[in-house]
PDB file of all heavy atoms in Angstrom:
ATOM      1  N   TYR A   1     180.736 125.264 129.319  1.00  0.00           N
ATOM      2  CA  TYR A   1     181.143 124.647 130.570  1.00  0.00           C
ATOM      3  C   TYR A   1     181.114 125.616 131.737  1.00  0.00           C
ATOM      4  O   TYR A   1     181.599 126.739 131.553  1.00  0.00           O
ATOM      5  CB  TYR A   1     182.540 124.011 130.541  1.00  0.00           C
ATOM      6  CG  TYR A   1     182.576 122.927 129.473  1.00  0.00           C
ATOM      7  CD1 TYR A   1     182.949 123.303 128.166  1.00  0.00           C
ATOM      8  CD2 TYR A   1     182.359 121.666 129.786  1.00  0.00           C
ATOM      9  CE1 TYR A   1     183.000 122.332 127.230  1.00  0.00           C
ATOM     10  CE2 TYR A   1     182.451 120.618 128.821  1.00  0.00           C
ATOM     11  CZ  TYR A   1     182.750 121.006 127.451  1.00  0.00           C
ATOM     12  OH  TYR A   1     182.799 120.081 126.599  1.00  0.00           O
ATOM     13  N   ALA A   2     180.562 125.272 132.901  1.00  0.00           N
ATOM     14  CA  ALA A   2     180.674 125.992 134.093  1.00  0.00           C
ATOM     15  C   ALA A   2     182.173 126.122 134.497  1.00  0.00           C
ATOM     16  O   ALA A   2     182.973 125.256 134.056  1.00  0.00           O
ATOM     17  CB  ALA A   2     179.849 125.360 135.177  1.00  0.00           C
ATOM     18  N   MET A   3     182.466 127.079 135.372  1.00  0.00           N
ATOM     19  CA  MET A   3     183.747 127.219 135.858  1.00  0.00           C
ATOM     20  C   MET A   3     183.754 127.424 137.368  1.00  0.00           C
ATOM     21  O   MET A   3     182.740 127.896 137.887  1.00  0.00           O
ATOM     22  CB  MET A   3     184.540 128.395 135.222  1.00  0.00           C
ATOM     23  CG  MET A   3     184.761 128.288 133.780  1.00  0.00           C
ATOM     24  SD  MET A   3     186.010 127.023 133.393  1.00  0.00           S
ATOM     25  CE  MET A   3     187.462 127.783 134.118  1.00  0.00           C
ATOM     26  N   GLY A   4     184.727 127.116 138.049  1.00  0.00           N
ATOM     27  CA  GLY A   4     184.775 127.334 139.479  1.00  0.00           C
ATOM     28  C   GLY A   4     186.162 127.765 140.028  1.00  0.00           C
ATOM     29  O   GLY A   4     187.151 127.701 139.226  1.00  0.00           O
ATOM     30  N   TRP A   5     186.130 128.409 141.220  1.00  0.00           N
ATOM     31  CA  TRP A   5     187.412 128.723 141.826  1.00  0.00           C
ATOM     32  C   TRP A   5     187.385 128.131 143.176  1.00  0.00           C
ATOM     33  O   TRP A   5     186.370 128.149 143.936  1.00  0.00           O
ATOM     34  CB  TRP A   5     187.561 130.232 142.024  1.00  0.00           C
ATOM     35  CG  TRP A   5     187.915 131.042 140.819  1.00  0.00           C
ATOM     36  CD1 TRP A   5     186.983 131.608 139.893  1.00  0.00           C
ATOM     37  CD2 TRP A   5     189.163 131.230 140.223  1.00  0.00           C
ATOM     38  NE1 TRP A   5     187.629 132.245 138.941  1.00  0.00           N
ATOM     39  CE2 TRP A   5     188.989 131.986 139.074  1.00  0.00           C
ATOM     40  CE3 TRP A   5     190.478 130.901 140.649  1.00  0.00           C
ATOM     41  CZ2 TRP A   5     189.998 132.372 138.310  1.00  0.00           C
ATOM     42  CZ3 TRP A   5     191.517 131.342 139.898  1.00  0.00           C
ATOM     43  CH2 TRP A   5     191.317 132.057 138.702  1.00  0.00           C
ATOM     44  N   PHE A   6     188.499 127.517 143.611  1.00  0.00           N
ATOM     45  CA  PHE A   6     188.750 126.913 144.868  1.00  0.00           C
ATOM     46  C   PHE A   6     190.028 127.490 145.382  1.00  0.00           C
ATOM     47  O   PHE A   6     190.809 128.100 144.683  1.00  0.00           O
ATOM     48  CB  PHE A   6     188.896 125.318 144.775  1.00  0.00           C
ATOM     49  CG  PHE A   6     187.499 124.671 144.576  1.00  0.00           C
ATOM     50  CD1 PHE A   6     186.927 124.695 143.383  1.00  0.00           C
ATOM     51  CD2 PHE A   6     187.012 123.923 145.605  1.00  0.00           C
ATOM     52  CE1 PHE A   6     185.683 124.050 143.224  1.00  0.00           C
ATOM     53  CE2 PHE A   6     185.811 123.211 145.497  1.00  0.00           C
ATOM     54  CZ  PHE A   6     185.165 123.258 144.254  1.00  0.00           C
ATOM     55  N   ARG A   7     190.284 127.274 146.663  1.00  0.00           N
ATOM     56  CA  ARG A   7     191.511 127.759 147.260  1.00  0.00           C
ATOM     57  C   ARG A   7     191.958 126.772 148.315  1.00  0.00           C
ATOM     58  O   ARG A   7     191.107 126.006 148.917  1.00  0.00           O
ATOM     59  CB  ARG A   7     191.306 129.180 147.877  1.00  0.00           C
ATOM     60  CG  ARG A   7     190.410 129.172 149.069  1.00  0.00           C
ATOM     61  CD  ARG A   7     190.242 130.626 149.619  1.00  0.00           C
ATOM     62  NE  ARG A   7     189.361 130.717 150.718  1.00  0.00           N
ATOM     63  CZ  ARG A   7     189.015 131.883 151.205  1.00  0.00           C
ATOM     64  NH1 ARG A   7     189.333 133.111 150.715  1.00  0.00           N
ATOM     65  NH2 ARG A   7     188.154 131.869 152.272  1.00  0.00           N
ATOM     66  N   GLN A   8     193.253 126.813 148.557  1.00  0.00           N
ATOM     67  CA  GLN A   8     193.858 125.896 149.578  1.00  0.00           C
ATOM     68  C   GLN A   8     194.932 126.638 150.382  1.00  0.00           C
ATOM     69  O   GLN A   8     195.911 127.069 149.782  1.00  0.00           O
ATOM     70  CB  GLN A   8     194.383 124.632 148.992  1.00  0.00           C
ATOM     71  CG  GLN A   8     194.870 123.615 149.990  1.00  0.00           C
ATOM     72  CD  GLN A   8     195.118 122.269 149.326  1.00  0.00           C
ATOM     73  OE1 GLN A   8     195.322 122.117 148.123  1.00  0.00           O
ATOM     74  NE2 GLN A   8     195.079 121.150 150.156  1.00  0.00           N
ATOM     75  N   ALA A   9     194.668 126.767 151.582  1.00  0.00           N
ATOM     76  CA  ALA A   9     195.551 127.394 152.522  1.00  0.00           C
ATOM     77  C   ALA A   9     196.475 126.365 153.150  1.00  0.00           C
ATOM     78  O   ALA A   9     196.142 125.131 153.155  1.00  0.00           O
ATOM     79  CB  ALA A   9     194.818 128.156 153.640  1.00  0.00           C
ATOM     80  N   PRO A  10     197.662 126.776 153.635  1.00  0.00           N
ATOM     81  CA  PRO A  10     198.630 125.744 154.214  1.00  0.00           C
ATOM     82  C   PRO A  10     198.009 125.034 155.319  1.00  0.00           C
ATOM     83  O   PRO A  10     197.309 125.487 156.218  1.00  0.00           O
ATOM     84  CB  PRO A  10     199.743 126.607 154.685  1.00  0.00           C
ATOM     85  CG  PRO A  10     199.729 127.922 153.837  1.00  0.00           C
ATOM     86  CD  PRO A  10     198.166 128.111 153.533  1.00  0.00           C
ATOM     87  N   GLY A  11     198.110 123.646 155.232  1.00  0.00           N
ATOM     88  CA  GLY A  11     197.550 122.791 156.289  1.00  0.00           C
ATOM     89  C   GLY A  11     196.025 122.606 156.256  1.00  0.00           C
ATOM     90  O   GLY A  11     195.491 122.019 157.141  1.00  0.00           O
ATOM     91  N   ARG A  12     195.450 123.142 155.273  1.00  0.00           N
ATOM     92  CA  ARG A  12     193.938 122.983 155.213  1.00  0.00           C
ATOM     93  C   ARG A  12     193.567 122.266 153.897  1.00  0.00           C
ATOM     94  O   ARG A  12     194.249 122.274 152.943  1.00  0.00           O
ATOM     95  CB  ARG A  12     193.317 124.360 155.289  1.00  0.00           C
ATOM     96  CG  ARG A  12     193.643 125.104 156.560  1.00  0.00           C
ATOM     97  CD  ARG A  12     192.870 126.436 156.689  1.00  0.00           C
ATOM     98  NE  ARG A  12     191.477 126.164 156.795  1.00  0.00           N
ATOM     99  CZ  ARG A  12     190.544 127.090 157.017  1.00  0.00           C
ATOM    100  NH1 ARG A  12     190.959 128.383 157.041  1.00  0.00           N
ATOM    101  NH2 ARG A  12     189.286 126.858 157.113  1.00  0.00           N
ATOM    102  N   GLU A  13     192.301 121.759 153.931  1.00  0.00           N
ATOM    103  CA  GLU A  13     191.814 121.155 152.718  1.00  0.00           C
ATOM    104  C   GLU A  13     191.354 122.293 151.702  1.00  0.00           C
ATOM    105  O   GLU A  13     191.103 123.346 152.005  1.00  0.00           O
ATOM    106  CB  GLU A  13     190.548 120.327 153.010  1.00  0.00           C
ATOM    107  CG  GLU A  13     190.869 119.072 153.880  1.00  0.00           C
ATOM    108  CD  GLU A  13     189.808 118.140 154.052  1.00  0.00           C
ATOM    109  OE1 GLU A  13     188.671 118.498 153.569  1.00  0.00           O
ATOM    110  OE2 GLU A  13     189.951 117.045 154.589  1.00  0.00           O
ATOM    111  N   ARG A  14     191.370 121.863 150.391  1.00  0.00           N
ATOM    112  CA  ARG A  14     190.867 122.736 149.328  1.00  0.00           C
ATOM    113  C   ARG A  14     189.429 123.065 149.626  1.00  0.00           C
ATOM    114  O   ARG A  14     188.584 122.103 149.832  1.00  0.00           O
ATOM    115  CB  ARG A  14     191.054 122.004 147.992  1.00  0.00           C
ATOM    116  CG  ARG A  14     190.946 122.945 146.852  1.00  0.00           C
ATOM    117  CD  ARG A  14     191.373 122.251 145.515  1.00  0.00           C
ATOM    118  NE  ARG A  14     192.856 121.966 145.568  1.00  0.00           N
ATOM    119  CZ  ARG A  14     193.475 121.554 144.534  1.00  0.00           C
ATOM    120  NH1 ARG A  14     192.834 121.358 143.365  1.00  0.00           N
ATOM    121  NH2 ARG A  14     194.787 121.138 144.583  1.00  0.00           N
ATOM    122  N   GLU A  15     188.985 124.343 149.392  1.00  0.00           N
ATOM    123  CA  GLU A  15     187.687 124.776 149.703  1.00  0.00           C
ATOM    124  C   GLU A  15     187.063 125.533 148.561  1.00  0.00           C
ATOM    125  O   GLU A  15     187.864 126.199 147.878  1.00  0.00           O
ATOM    126  CB  GLU A  15     187.553 125.537 151.010  1.00  0.00           C
ATOM    127  CG  GLU A  15     188.285 126.847 150.966  1.00  0.00           C
ATOM    128  CD  GLU A  15     188.002 127.776 152.164  1.00  0.00           C
ATOM    129  OE1 GLU A  15     187.174 127.425 152.949  1.00  0.00           O
ATOM    130  OE2 GLU A  15     188.596 128.792 152.240  1.00  0.00           O
ATOM    131  N   PHE A  16     185.821 125.408 148.368  1.00  0.00           N
ATOM    132  CA  PHE A  16     185.074 126.105 147.386  1.00  0.00           C
ATOM    133  C   PHE A  16     185.108 127.582 147.633  1.00  0.00           C
ATOM    134  O   PHE A  16     184.943 128.047 148.811  1.00  0.00           O
ATOM    135  CB  PHE A  16     183.628 125.593 147.298  1.00  0.00           C
ATOM    136  CG  PHE A  16     182.779 126.387 146.403  1.00  0.00           C
ATOM    137  CD1 PHE A  16     182.702 126.246 145.004  1.00  0.00           C
ATOM    138  CD2 PHE A  16     181.800 127.249 147.009  1.00  0.00           C
ATOM    139  CE1 PHE A  16     181.948 126.950 144.259  1.00  0.00           C
ATOM    140  CE2 PHE A  16     181.004 127.998 146.205  1.00  0.00           C
ATOM    141  CZ  PHE A  16     181.057 127.875 144.829  1.00  0.00           C
ATOM    142  N   VAL A  17     185.246 128.410 146.580  1.00  0.00           N
ATOM    143  CA  VAL A  17     185.215 129.854 146.699  1.00  0.00           C
ATOM    144  C   VAL A  17     183.973 130.406 145.872  1.00  0.00           C
ATOM    145  O   VAL A  17     183.111 131.086 146.427  1.00  0.00           O
ATOM    146  CB  VAL A  17     186.484 130.478 146.193  1.00  0.00           C
ATOM    147  CG1 VAL A  17     186.352 131.983 146.212  1.00  0.00           C
ATOM    148  CG2 VAL A  17     187.695 130.047 147.014  1.00  0.00           C
ATOM    149  N   ALA A  18     183.905 130.070 144.612  1.00  0.00           N
ATOM    150  CA  ALA A  18     182.922 130.637 143.740  1.00  0.00           C
ATOM    151  C   ALA A  18     182.772 129.807 142.503  1.00  0.00           C
ATOM    152  O   ALA A  18     183.632 129.106 142.092  1.00  0.00           O
ATOM    153  CB  ALA A  18     183.191 132.087 143.385  1.00  0.00           C
ATOM    154  N   ALA A  19     181.549 129.847 141.911  1.00  0.00           N
ATOM    155  CA  ALA A  19     181.296 129.155 140.659  1.00  0.00           C
ATOM    156  C   ALA A  19     180.415 130.004 139.742  1.00  0.00           C
ATOM    157  O   ALA A  19     179.684 130.903 140.211  1.00  0.00           O
ATOM    158  CB  ALA A  19     180.597 127.865 140.918  1.00  0.00           C
ATOM    159  N   ILE A  20     180.545 129.747 138.471  1.00  0.00           N
ATOM    160  CA  ILE A  20     179.748 130.490 137.461  1.00  0.00           C
ATOM    161  C   ILE A  20     179.316 129.548 136.354  1.00  0.00           C
ATOM    162  O   ILE A  20     179.984 128.611 135.940  1.00  0.00           O
ATOM    163  CB  ILE A  20     180.579 131.636 136.825  1.00  0.00           C
ATOM    164  CG1 ILE A  20     179.733 132.604 136.047  1.00  0.00           C
ATOM    165  CG2 ILE A  20     181.843 131.136 136.101  1.00  0.00           C
ATOM    166  CD1 ILE A  20     180.408 133.950 135.696  1.00  0.00           C
ATOM    167  N   SER A  21     178.121 129.764 135.844  1.00  0.00           N
ATOM    168  CA  SER A  21     177.578 128.860 134.752  1.00  0.00           C
ATOM    169  C   SER A  21     178.237 129.303 133.488  1.00  0.00           C
ATOM    170  O   SER A  21     178.964 130.308 133.319  1.00  0.00           O
ATOM    171  CB  SER A  21     176.142 129.104 134.634  1.00  0.00           C
ATOM    172  OG  SER A  21     175.793 130.469 134.336  1.00  0.00           O
ATOM    173  N   GLY A  22     178.045 128.361 132.462  1.00  0.00           N
ATOM    174  CA  GLY A  22     178.796 128.639 131.232  1.00  0.00           C
ATOM    175  C   GLY A  22     178.240 129.851 130.550  1.00  0.00           C
ATOM    176  O   GLY A  22     179.022 130.599 129.907  1.00  0.00           O
ATOM    177  N   SER A  23     177.017 130.209 130.701  1.00  0.00           N
ATOM    178  CA  SER A  23     176.439 131.412 130.145  1.00  0.00           C
ATOM    179  C   SER A  23     176.887 132.709 130.917  1.00  0.00           C
ATOM    180  O   SER A  23     176.823 133.847 130.431  1.00  0.00           O
ATOM    181  CB  SER A  23     174.954 131.376 130.142  1.00  0.00           C
ATOM    182  OG  SER A  23     174.455 131.378 131.502  1.00  0.00           O
ATOM    183  N   GLY A  24     177.298 132.474 132.172  1.00  0.00           N
ATOM    184  CA  GLY A  24     177.676 133.589 133.022  1.00  0.00           C
ATOM    185  C   GLY A  24     176.495 134.198 133.800  1.00  0.00           C
ATOM    186  O   GLY A  24     176.706 135.152 134.514  1.00  0.00           O
ATOM    187  N   THR A  25     175.355 133.647 133.622  1.00  0.00           N
ATOM    188  CA  THR A  25     174.103 134.285 134.154  1.00  0.00           C
ATOM    189  C   THR A  25     173.927 133.823 135.672  1.00  0.00           C
ATOM    190  O   THR A  25     173.202 134.412 136.382  1.00  0.00           O
ATOM    191  CB  THR A  25     172.869 133.952 133.380  1.00  0.00           C
ATOM    192  OG1 THR A  25     172.780 132.577 133.215  1.00  0.00           O
ATOM    193  CG2 THR A  25     172.949 134.641 132.019  1.00  0.00           C
ATOM    194  N   SER A  26     174.488 132.665 136.012  1.00  0.00           N
ATOM    195  CA  SER A  26     174.252 132.167 137.389  1.00  0.00           C
ATOM    196  C   SER A  26     175.635 132.074 138.069  1.00  0.00           C
ATOM    197  O   SER A  26     176.706 131.711 137.518  1.00  0.00           O
ATOM    198  CB  SER A  26     173.724 130.773 137.355  1.00  0.00           C
ATOM    199  OG  SER A  26     172.438 130.763 136.823  1.00  0.00           O
ATOM    200  N   THR A  27     175.708 132.532 139.307  1.00  0.00           N
ATOM    201  CA  THR A  27     176.927 132.465 140.097  1.00  0.00           C
ATOM    202  C   THR A  27     176.529 131.934 141.521  1.00  0.00           C
ATOM    203  O   THR A  27     175.391 131.983 141.932  1.00  0.00           O
ATOM    204  CB  THR A  27     177.574 133.832 140.282  1.00  0.00           C
ATOM    205  OG1 THR A  27     176.632 134.806 140.853  1.00  0.00           O
ATOM    206  CG2 THR A  27     177.992 134.370 138.947  1.00  0.00           C
ATOM    207  N   TYR A  28     177.516 131.499 142.211  1.00  0.00           N
ATOM    208  CA  TYR A  28     177.382 131.011 143.633  1.00  0.00           C
ATOM    209  C   TYR A  28     178.632 131.219 144.363  1.00  0.00           C
ATOM    210  O   TYR A  28     179.730 131.020 143.811  1.00  0.00           O
ATOM    211  CB  TYR A  28     176.919 129.477 143.528  1.00  0.00           C
ATOM    212  CG  TYR A  28     176.481 128.931 144.864  1.00  0.00           C
ATOM    213  CD1 TYR A  28     175.153 129.053 145.210  1.00  0.00           C
ATOM    214  CD2 TYR A  28     177.400 128.329 145.794  1.00  0.00           C
ATOM    215  CE1 TYR A  28     174.674 128.603 146.456  1.00  0.00           C
ATOM    216  CE2 TYR A  28     176.932 127.859 146.953  1.00  0.00           C
ATOM    217  CZ  TYR A  28     175.580 127.980 147.277  1.00  0.00           C
ATOM    218  OH  TYR A  28     175.108 127.512 148.477  1.00  0.00           O
ATOM    219  N   TYR A  29     178.523 131.590 145.641  1.00  0.00           N
ATOM    220  CA  TYR A  29     179.722 131.964 146.445  1.00  0.00           C
ATOM    221  C   TYR A  29     179.670 131.204 147.759  1.00  0.00           C
ATOM    222  O   TYR A  29     178.603 131.015 148.392  1.00  0.00           O
ATOM    223  CB  TYR A  29     179.775 133.418 146.702  1.00  0.00           C
ATOM    224  CG  TYR A  29     179.869 134.335 145.417  1.00  0.00           C
ATOM    225  CD1 TYR A  29     178.735 134.803 144.778  1.00  0.00           C
ATOM    226  CD2 TYR A  29     181.102 134.613 144.914  1.00  0.00           C
ATOM    227  CE1 TYR A  29     178.876 135.520 143.585  1.00  0.00           C
ATOM    228  CE2 TYR A  29     181.273 135.312 143.806  1.00  0.00           C
ATOM    229  CZ  TYR A  29     180.164 135.808 143.170  1.00  0.00           C
ATOM    230  OH  TYR A  29     180.217 136.533 142.012  1.00  0.00           O
ATOM    231  N   ALA A  30     180.885 130.916 148.275  1.00  0.00           N
ATOM    232  CA  ALA A  30     180.993 130.527 149.613  1.00  0.00           C
ATOM    233  C   ALA A  30     180.630 131.641 150.562  1.00  0.00           C
ATOM    234  O   ALA A  30     180.805 132.855 150.236  1.00  0.00           O
ATOM    235  CB  ALA A  30     182.442 130.053 149.930  1.00  0.00           C
ATOM    236  N   ASP A  31     180.026 131.368 151.622  1.00  0.00           N
ATOM    237  CA  ASP A  31     179.608 132.408 152.686  1.00  0.00           C
ATOM    238  C   ASP A  31     180.850 133.231 153.057  1.00  0.00           C
ATOM    239  O   ASP A  31     180.711 134.467 153.298  1.00  0.00           O
ATOM    240  CB  ASP A  31     179.076 131.764 153.855  1.00  0.00           C
ATOM    241  CG  ASP A  31     177.673 131.149 153.590  1.00  0.00           C
ATOM    242  OD1 ASP A  31     177.077 131.541 152.581  1.00  0.00           O
ATOM    243  OD2 ASP A  31     177.167 130.401 154.455  1.00  0.00           O
ATOM    244  N   SER A  32     182.002 132.698 153.143  1.00  0.00           N
ATOM    245  CA  SER A  32     183.192 133.381 153.618  1.00  0.00           C
ATOM    246  C   SER A  32     183.569 134.530 152.649  1.00  0.00           C
ATOM    247  O   SER A  32     184.324 135.432 153.090  1.00  0.00           O
ATOM    248  CB  SER A  32     184.297 132.396 153.771  1.00  0.00           C
ATOM    249  OG  SER A  32     184.651 131.710 152.660  1.00  0.00           O
ATOM    250  N   VAL A  33     183.148 134.489 151.387  1.00  0.00           N
ATOM    251  CA  VAL A  33     183.624 135.478 150.463  1.00  0.00           C
ATOM    252  C   VAL A  33     182.406 136.329 149.885  1.00  0.00           C
ATOM    253  O   VAL A  33     182.679 137.210 149.080  1.00  0.00           O
ATOM    254  CB  VAL A  33     184.402 134.844 149.291  1.00  0.00           C
ATOM    255  CG1 VAL A  33     185.588 134.027 149.795  1.00  0.00           C
ATOM    256  CG2 VAL A  33     183.555 134.000 148.327  1.00  0.00           C
ATOM    257  N   LYS A  34     181.296 135.859 150.175  1.00  0.00           N
ATOM    258  CA  LYS A  34     180.104 136.567 149.634  1.00  0.00           C
ATOM    259  C   LYS A  34     180.093 138.067 149.969  1.00  0.00           C
ATOM    260  O   LYS A  34     180.295 138.408 151.156  1.00  0.00           O
ATOM    261  CB  LYS A  34     178.817 135.897 150.210  1.00  0.00           C
ATOM    262  CG  LYS A  34     177.558 136.085 149.353  1.00  0.00           C
ATOM    263  CD  LYS A  34     176.400 135.305 149.946  1.00  0.00           C
ATOM    264  CE  LYS A  34     176.702 133.814 149.746  1.00  0.00           C
ATOM    265  NZ  LYS A  34     175.585 132.962 150.291  1.00  0.00           N
ATOM    266  N   GLY A  35     179.806 138.850 149.014  1.00  0.00           N
ATOM    267  CA  GLY A  35     179.878 140.326 149.180  1.00  0.00           C
ATOM    268  C   GLY A  35     181.271 140.909 148.904  1.00  0.00           C
ATOM    269  O   GLY A  35     181.326 142.178 148.846  1.00  0.00           O
ATOM    270  N   ARG A  36     182.252 140.063 148.956  1.00  0.00           N
ATOM    271  CA  ARG A  36     183.658 140.614 148.811  1.00  0.00           C
ATOM    272  C   ARG A  36     184.272 140.215 147.456  1.00  0.00           C
ATOM    273  O   ARG A  36     185.027 140.881 146.776  1.00  0.00           O
ATOM    274  CB  ARG A  36     184.563 140.204 149.906  1.00  0.00           C
ATOM    275  CG  ARG A  36     184.093 140.604 151.245  1.00  0.00           C
ATOM    276  CD  ARG A  36     185.161 140.275 152.354  1.00  0.00           C
ATOM    277  NE  ARG A  36     185.354 138.835 152.471  1.00  0.00           N
ATOM    278  CZ  ARG A  36     186.583 138.288 152.329  1.00  0.00           C
ATOM    279  NH1 ARG A  36     187.600 138.985 151.989  1.00  0.00           N
ATOM    280  NH2 ARG A  36     186.801 136.930 152.453  1.00  0.00           N
ATOM    281  N   PHE A  37     183.924 138.944 146.983  1.00  0.00           N
ATOM    282  CA  PHE A  37     184.468 138.476 145.812  1.00  0.00           C
ATOM    283  C   PHE A  37     183.379 138.356 144.721  1.00  0.00           C
ATOM    284  O   PHE A  37     182.261 138.222 144.987  1.00  0.00           O
ATOM    285  CB  PHE A  37     184.946 136.975 146.023  1.00  0.00           C
ATOM    286  CG  PHE A  37     186.201 136.870 146.862  1.00  0.00           C
ATOM    287  CD1 PHE A  37     186.727 137.916 147.697  1.00  0.00           C
ATOM    288  CD2 PHE A  37     186.898 135.650 146.901  1.00  0.00           C
ATOM    289  CE1 PHE A  37     187.848 137.807 148.415  1.00  0.00           C
ATOM    290  CE2 PHE A  37     188.041 135.498 147.653  1.00  0.00           C
ATOM    291  CZ  PHE A  37     188.486 136.541 148.484  1.00  0.00           C
ATOM    292  N   THR A  38     183.858 138.528 143.455  1.00  0.00           N
ATOM    293  CA  THR A  38     182.965 138.460 142.310  1.00  0.00           C
ATOM    294  C   THR A  38     183.591 137.579 141.299  1.00  0.00           C
ATOM    295  O   THR A  38     184.742 137.856 140.811  1.00  0.00           O
ATOM    296  CB  THR A  38     182.723 139.853 141.657  1.00  0.00           C
ATOM    297  OG1 THR A  38     182.129 140.700 142.734  1.00  0.00           O
ATOM    298  CG2 THR A  38     181.708 139.706 140.565  1.00  0.00           C
ATOM    299  N   ILE A  39     182.914 136.582 140.816  1.00  0.00           N
ATOM    300  CA  ILE A  39     183.305 135.697 139.736  1.00  0.00           C
ATOM    301  C   ILE A  39     182.624 136.101 138.442  1.00  0.00           C
ATOM    302  O   ILE A  39     181.552 136.558 138.438  1.00  0.00           O
ATOM    303  CB  ILE A  39     182.966 134.178 140.084  1.00  0.00           C
ATOM    304  CG1 ILE A  39     183.633 133.277 138.988  1.00  0.00           C
ATOM    305  CG2 ILE A  39     181.465 133.980 140.238  1.00  0.00           C
ATOM    306  CD1 ILE A  39     183.516 131.825 139.294  1.00  0.00           C
ATOM    307  N   SER A  40     183.448 136.177 137.318  1.00  0.00           N
ATOM    308  CA  SER A  40     182.802 136.524 136.141  1.00  0.00           C
ATOM    309  C   SER A  40     183.553 135.806 134.998  1.00  0.00           C
ATOM    310  O   SER A  40     184.579 135.077 135.275  1.00  0.00           O
ATOM    311  CB  SER A  40     182.969 138.026 135.859  1.00  0.00           C
ATOM    312  OG  SER A  40     184.382 138.428 135.889  1.00  0.00           O
ATOM    313  N   ARG A  41     183.156 135.915 133.802  1.00  0.00           N
ATOM    314  CA  ARG A  41     183.877 135.253 132.662  1.00  0.00           C
ATOM    315  C   ARG A  41     183.641 136.077 131.396  1.00  0.00           C
ATOM    316  O   ARG A  41     182.572 136.765 131.292  1.00  0.00           O
ATOM    317  CB  ARG A  41     183.234 133.875 132.457  1.00  0.00           C
ATOM    318  CG  ARG A  41     181.797 133.727 132.161  1.00  0.00           C
ATOM    319  CD  ARG A  41     181.319 132.230 132.238  1.00  0.00           C
ATOM    320  NE  ARG A  41     182.047 131.353 131.344  1.00  0.00           N
ATOM    321  CZ  ARG A  41     182.096 130.069 131.494  1.00  0.00           C
ATOM    322  NH1 ARG A  41     181.566 129.545 132.533  1.00  0.00           N
ATOM    323  NH2 ARG A  41     182.755 129.332 130.541  1.00  0.00           N
ATOM    324  N   ASP A  42     184.606 135.907 130.542  1.00  0.00           N
ATOM    325  CA  ASP A  42     184.489 136.562 129.186  1.00  0.00           C
ATOM    326  C   ASP A  42     184.620 135.376 128.181  1.00  0.00           C
ATOM    327  O   ASP A  42     185.769 134.884 127.980  1.00  0.00           O
ATOM    328  CB  ASP A  42     185.565 137.547 128.964  1.00  0.00           C
ATOM    329  CG  ASP A  42     185.446 138.345 127.724  1.00  0.00           C
ATOM    330  OD1 ASP A  42     184.825 137.722 126.751  1.00  0.00           O
ATOM    331  OD2 ASP A  42     186.047 139.473 127.577  1.00  0.00           O
TER     332      ASP A  42
END
């Protein structure tokens, strides 16, 4: 199964942060965190 991370700040809607495929070989990031956040899995 793929996995994802979302976040929700006070007064704001839940927003996408990052996602990773089940194999871990594919990842995708929101523009706001690209280059700063890294999603991974073991």
Side-chain angles (χ1 to χ4, degrees):
Y1 301 87
M3 294 291 294
W5 286 95
F6 284 71
R7 66 186 181 186
Q8 188 166 20
R12 301 187 64 177
E13 291 189 355
R14 193 170 296 190
E15 65 171 353
F16 170 78
V17 175
I20 188 167
S21 61
S23 64
T25 55
S26 294
T27 57
Y28 192 86
Y29 296 92
D31 288 344
S32 58
V33 306
K34 201 173 296 181
R36 300 188 298 122
F37 290 13
T38 302
I39 188 172
S40 62
R41 63 191 298 157
D42 184 337

